[in-house]
Amino acid sequence: MVTLVGGIVFLVLGYFTYGKYIEKNFLIDPDRATPAEVLKDGYDFVPMSKSKNAIIELLNIAGTGPIFGPIMGALYGPVAYIWIIVGCIFGGAVHDYMIGMISLRNNGAQLPELASKYLGKPVKHVVNIFSILLLMLVGTVFVTSPASLIESITPSWLTTGTIVVLIFVYYIISTILPIDKAMGKVYPWFGGILIISTIAIGVSLLFGGHTIPNLTLGNMQNFNPGGTPIFPALFFTISCGAISGFHATQAPMVARTSTNECEGRFTFYGMMIAEGVIAMIWAAASMSLFDGQTLSQMISAGTPSAVVNQVSILLLGNVLGTIAILGVIVLPISSGLSAFRSLRIILSDYLHIKQDTIKKILMVTLPLFAISFVLTNMDFTILWRYFTWANQVTAVIALFISTRYLFLKDKNFLVTLIPGVFMLYACVVYIISEPIGLRMGLTGLTYILAFLVSLAILGLFWKTGQTQKAGLDPNGEILNDQLPIGTFANGN
């Protein structure tokens, strides 16, 4: 119990202390006009209130990630707490804030455009590929995971396939609506269900007489029955809830609806902290109610949704437990919708298809839904494996964009470089060792080779940064934080 409560306290303190420093380091301008005001189009660029922006950001970034990830991360034992707390405060929340605010300064630009500006135009194509791949996988995962949860609490005649079709119908309808109608009207209700259900799970866990594992020197061991090493697997298993590149594709969407830079710390940094709290509660619940062997068998037999079902019913009973499951269901449905919306924007920007009519919107969106529908037939564990890989590579790209931004502005860039280098090394180790990469396994040679590759990438990044800074025009567009209006297909 002490670790769970203490961890949540640390997360909240991180928002008020380190979050404040990150905001100060960025140097906000409360009087600066925002894209929502300057580029208002009634569809994607729409001024909305701070509270609506915050709940949209939370539901966009959350999905099943801060629940499914910690459930699977619980297999590594209480050490998962450390990654959630440290990763969230010093990595994920900084990552989300920086991309959200840099996008806000650049007419609501998406990640590929920001990569082009701050890392070089050739990088834009690489980032586009990763962003499109990531969002397609996210959208698909966040269709299959709620479908399996809904099936567990509905009559047997409502099959997973039928539920998947219904979710896609909802997505199509929401896609053609302006953001303030598609998300602004519905998400506050979704958010209420999420918050109430999360609090209920947490309170029941704390006061229900359950033994909650604490983080001590005696129980730092890996609970994974398969013996999977903690590094780098833990840092890919728990991504949402600690640090996630998917968030870098979502923050620009909210950057297009924010009306003041002062809202950034609450909207971007704060909602990542909230996601960390959700992750702590579900990791603690999974470790408290199941041993490693049982948890592993449940995940293998029915995906993490089986664990969600059992945790909710065991802690809250049938009625309240079902309500808690509904709280989990709204997360992936809302994040899946935002994933496809971001995917449409990124793809239309890349192909220069202006999104000013329903016909053009559907022309981009419907083929994406068709591809995703086919992917829903793949095994969940395979989808998740590729999602986590693409997700954390995207996080590295976002942190390097943020580092370059701060470097060019003569600000403290170590706040993004340090987590960026750590995740870069983890990604290279993962790619070299895993079956989706070079299949070399985790050997001493793997770690050495990963170190050398990471060092080479970092050296290239530093050299190009020095060259870019040396060639800056004091009155140039990078220092002025502005991309030319008309850069984006949606943007006028």
Side-chain angles (χ1 to χ4, degrees):
M1 179 184 293
V2 174
T3 302
L4 174 59
V5 175
I8 293 174
V9 170
F10 270 118
L11 286 168
V12 174
L13 288 176
Y15 169 77
F16 288 105
T17 55
Y18 198 65
K20 185 68 176 177
Y21 172 75
I22 294 299
E23 179 185 57
K24 183 179 180 180
N25 188 53
F26 183 84
L27 193 61
I28 61 172
D29 181 0
D31 298 321
R32 184 185 179 93
T34 66
E37 299 164 323
V38 177
L39 302 175
K40 184 177 179 180
D41 65 359
Y43 193 78
D44 290 316
F45 293 87
V46 180
M48 290 199 293
S49 67
K50 175 182 176 180
S51 58
K52 283 189 176 181
N53 284 328
I55 200 66
I56 288 174
E57 174 70 7
L58 176 60
L59 290 175
N60 281 359
I61 66 176
T64 48
I67 297 174
F68 280 20
I71 285 173
M72 293 187 287
L75 291 172
Y76 298 93
V79 70
Y81 292 139
I82 298 178
W83 173 229
I84 293 172
I85 297 167
V86 175
C88 191
I89 294 173
F90 298 101
V94 177
H95 167 282
D96 293 10
Y97 179 83
M98 288 300 302
I99 290 298
M101 295 303 292
I102 295 172
S103 176
L104 193 66
R105 289 278 178 92
N106 285 278
N107 294 344
Q110 288 282 348
L111 190 66
E113 294 292 343
L114 296 178
S116 176
K117 179 174 180 178
Y118 295 105
L119 298 181
K121 290 183 179 179
V123 181
K124 174 182 177 179
H125 303 295
V126 176
V127 178
N128 261 304
I129 292 171
F130 267 102
S131 298
I132 291 169
L133 172 65
L134 173 62
L135 288 169
M136 180 60 73
L137 290 171
V138 167
T140 304
V141 168
F142 290 168
V143 167
T144 56
S145 54
S148 63
L149 283 169
I150 293 172
E151 185 184 33
S152 70
I153 59 173
T154 53
S156 58
W157 57 264
L158 191 59
T159 63
T160 301
T162 303
I163 297 168
V164 166
V165 171
L166 292 174
I167 292 174
F168 274 118
V169 170
Y170 166 68
Y171 284 174
I172 292 171
I173 295 171
S174 299
T175 295
I176 62 178
L177 293 175
I179 190 169
D180 58 328
K181 302 296 189 300
M183 298 180 181
K185 298 293 186 183
V186 180
Y187 277 28
W189 293 97
F190 282 1
I193 296 173
L194 166 64
I195 292 169
I196 291 171
S197 62
T198 302
I199 291 174
I201 292 288
V203 170
S204 179
L205 188 62
L206 288 171
F207 300 103
H210 302 283
T211 302
I212 306 174
N214 286 313
L215 182 64
T216 65
L217 293 177
N219 69 354
M220 288 283 283
Q221 74 271 20
N222 186 348
F223 292 173
N224 196 315
T228 304
I230 290 175
F231 185 87
L234 176 63
F235 305 96
F236 288 80
T237 304
I238 302 180
S239 51
C240 295
I243 183 170
S244 168
F246 169 61
H247 299 186
T249 67
Q250 300 305 295
M253 188 186 303
V254 177
R256 297 183 177 199
T257 60
S258 299
T259 57
N260 196 299
E261 289 191 0
C262 291
E263 301 173 4
R265 181 161 65 98
F266 181 74
T267 302
F268 300 118
Y269 196 101
M271 292 307 101
M272 182 60 207
I273 293 295
E275 186 179 274
V277 173
I278 295 171
M280 285 289 291
I281 290 172
W282 279 95
S286 301
M287 282 185 260
S288 302
L289 299 179
F290 312 106
D291 58 47
Q293 186 68 42
T294 303
L295 188 59
S296 179
Q297 290 174 350
M298 291 174 67
I299 293 171
S300 299
T303 78
S305 61
V307 182
V308 170
N309 197 338
Q310 286 297 309
V311 167
S312 301
I313 299 301
L314 287 172
L315 290 179
L316 301 177
N318 289 329
V319 176
L320 293 179
T322 300
I323 295 174
I325 294 171
L326 290 175
V328 177
I329 289 171
V330 302
L331 283 173
I333 289 179
S334 57
S335 290
L337 170 60
S338 63
F340 283 117
R341 197 177 186 102
S342 297
L343 180 54
R344 171 184 60 80
I345 294 171
I346 289 175
L347 191 59
S348 61
D349 285 348
Y350 192 50
L351 299 177
H352 303 292
I353 302 173
K354 191 172 183 179
Q355 302 286 275
D356 55 354
T357 66
I358 292 178
K359 180 180 178 181
K360 291 180 180 178
I361 291 169
L362 292 178
M363 182 174 68
V364 176
T365 304
L366 291 181
L368 298 176
F369 286 156
I371 295 171
S372 179
F373 183 77
V374 174
L375 291 176
T376 59
N377 296 307
M378 289 182 61
D379 181 75
F380 174 84
T381 55
I382 296 176
L383 285 173
W384 189 267
R385 188 183 306 149
Y386 281 94
F387 157 67
T388 55
W389 173 75
N391 191 40
Q392 298 306 61
V393 170
T394 304
V396 172
I397 293 169
L399 286 167
F400 274 35
I401 289 171
S402 303
T403 300
R404 181 65 57 82
Y405 177 91
L406 293 173
F407 174 70
L408 296 175
K409 293 283 188 176
D410 292 319
K411 302 295 182 182
N412 177 11
F413 58 84
L414 293 178
V415 296
T416 51
L417 179 63
I418 292 174
V421 170
F422 175 79
M423 288 310 303
L424 171 65
Y425 182 64
C427 284
V428 177
V429 170
Y430 188 85
I431 292 169
I432 292 175
S433 62
E434 290 295 312
I436 64 171
L438 300 182
R439 301 172 177 263
M440 289 180 57
L442 290 173
T443 64
L445 178 60
T446 298
Y447 292 117
I448 294 172
L449 184 59
F451 175 79
L452 294 176
V453 172
S454 300
L455 192 63
I457 294 172
L458 185 61
L460 179 62
F461 172 71
W462 182 254
K463 182 178 179 180
T464 55
Q466 292 284 2
T467 302
Q468 187 178 18
K469 190 170 187 177
L472 277 183
D473 177 353
N475 297 314
E477 66 177 29
I478 288 182
L479 291 181
N480 287 339
D481 287 331
Q482 185 176 358
L483 283 168
I485 293 177
T487 297
F488 317 115
N490 284 11
N492 320 309

